[in-house]
Amino acid sequence: MAGNVELLNAVLAQARTENRAALVGYLPAGFPTVDGGVRAMTEMLDGGCDIVEVGLPHSDPVLDGPVIQTADDIALRGGVKIVDVIRTVREVHAATGAPVLCMTYWNPVDRYGVERFAADLAEAGGAGCILPDLPVEESEVWRKAAEQHGLATVFVVAPSSRDERLAKITAAGSGFVYAASLMGVTGTRESVGREAQELVARTRATTDLPVCVGLGVSNPEQAAEVAQFADGVIVGSAFVKRLLAADGDLDAGLAGVRTLAGELAEGVRKRS
């Protein structure tokens, strides 16, 4: 079975025809539980997200700040495995018909088996993989497997990336480019900043792929700000915070996640 890269492309293209940015939500699989995570991601999509990223929890998530690290730790202590991540992708896509990507560090994929991981992700209806720590120079084996199975390969670019480097990364990627809005780790911030806008402009000069901005977006105002210049707005820590704030009350957490998705969806539609 082929993956859903074409569905991802179509959803991003549809947002562009509506003159708005796409809203991309993120949660780690297994948080607060595997079933609870599936329900939360479904609520995110039903509430207004266009795309969801399913995180593969990692014991040393170098790109992630303390909020997502906390969620990863809860998932890992709950015994989450790669099979649960794949199941999460399958059930969220089946429930919503939306594009679902996996965001993972490279080591778990390498240990699981590159071909096996691509095949299983595609069979589950996955649309692709975001690989924040895989150097483009070492990505050929993955990219071949992903292409064979109909999966996007999304690379991360940062404000520190030189133009020459940006061109190399975007030439190898597919689906969209993940633009880290600032140097540092994921988390909510007071301001997204000018660096993100400059990075998007420099990235767009190298590729026709959509450019989606993540790291630091947490409220409708910030989503609206980023939507002025990006093709997509990625939000993760703010969703995790809603579930953590519910303090074990899953229904309250789900309601919070859905409400936030709706508010952010309004934000990404506020283009001047």
Side-chain angles (χ1 to χ4, degrees), residues 22-264:
L23 177 59
V24 185
Y26 165 94
L27 279 178
F31 170 73
T33 62
V34 175
D35 289 341
V38 169
R39 290 180 64 189
M41 292 178 213
T42 301
E43 290 289 344
M44 286 159 64
L45 288 160
D46 288 345
C49 286
D50 300 288
I51 299 162
V52 147
E53 300 172 8
V54 178
L56 195 159
H58 196 276
S59 57
D60 185 25
V62 293
L63 186 71
D64 296 310
V67 173
I68 290 176
Q69 285 182 20
T70 297
D72 276 6
D73 185 56
I74 289 168
L76 290 167
R77 283 192 282 111
V80 71
K81 300 284 191 292
I82 289 181
V83 65
D84 299 309
V85 178
I86 300 295
R87 182 187 131 203
T88 299
V89 172
R90 176 182 290 107
E91 293 188 4
V92 173
H93 174 65
T96 63
V100 182
L101 297 104
C102 178
M103 185 166 187
T104 177
Y105 296 97
W106 178 244
N107 183 256
V109 176
D110 194 35
R111 291 185 63 180
Y112 189 80
V114 175
E115 170 64 27
R116 179 185 173 204
F117 190 88
D120 287 357
L121 183 59
E123 188 276 329
C129 225
I130 302 165
L131 298 155
D133 67 338
L134 178 64
V136 66
E137 294 84 359
E138 299 172 22
S139 67
E140 186 177 1
V141 170
W142 165 260
R143 286 188 288 120
K144 282 185 174 177
E147 186 174 0
Q148 179 185 343
H149 290 285
L151 298 169
T153 296
V154 178
F155 289 110
V156 178
V157 298
S160 60
S161 303
R162 297 179 183 273
D163 292 349
E164 192 177 304
R165 181 74 182 159
L166 287 176
K168 191 170 189 176
I169 292 170
T170 59
S174 55
F176 63 91
V177 182
Y178 187 126
S181 66
L182 36 73
M183 299 304 294
V185 296
T186 58
T188 58
R189 287 176 172 81
E190 295 299 315
S191 173
V192 178
R194 192 183 308 165
E195 278 189 327
Q197 188 166 358
E198 292 174 353
L199 176 59
V200 169
R202 291 197 298 120
T203 304
R204 281 205 179 123
T206 72
T207 184
D208 291 329
L209 288 173
V211 183
C212 302
V213 171
L215 274 69
V217 180
S218 62
N219 58 49
E221 293 74 28
Q222 290 172 337
E225 176 191 350
V226 173
Q228 300 302 313
F229 57 82
D231 299 295
V233 179
I234 303 169
V235 180
S237 295
F239 283 116
V240 172
K241 279 187 170 181
R242 292 293 174 107
L243 287 169
L244 289 172
D247 197 25
D249 184 341
L250 182 58
D251 287 340
L254 295 175
V257 159
R258 187 182 183 108
T259 297
L260 178 60
E263 292 169 351
L264 293 166

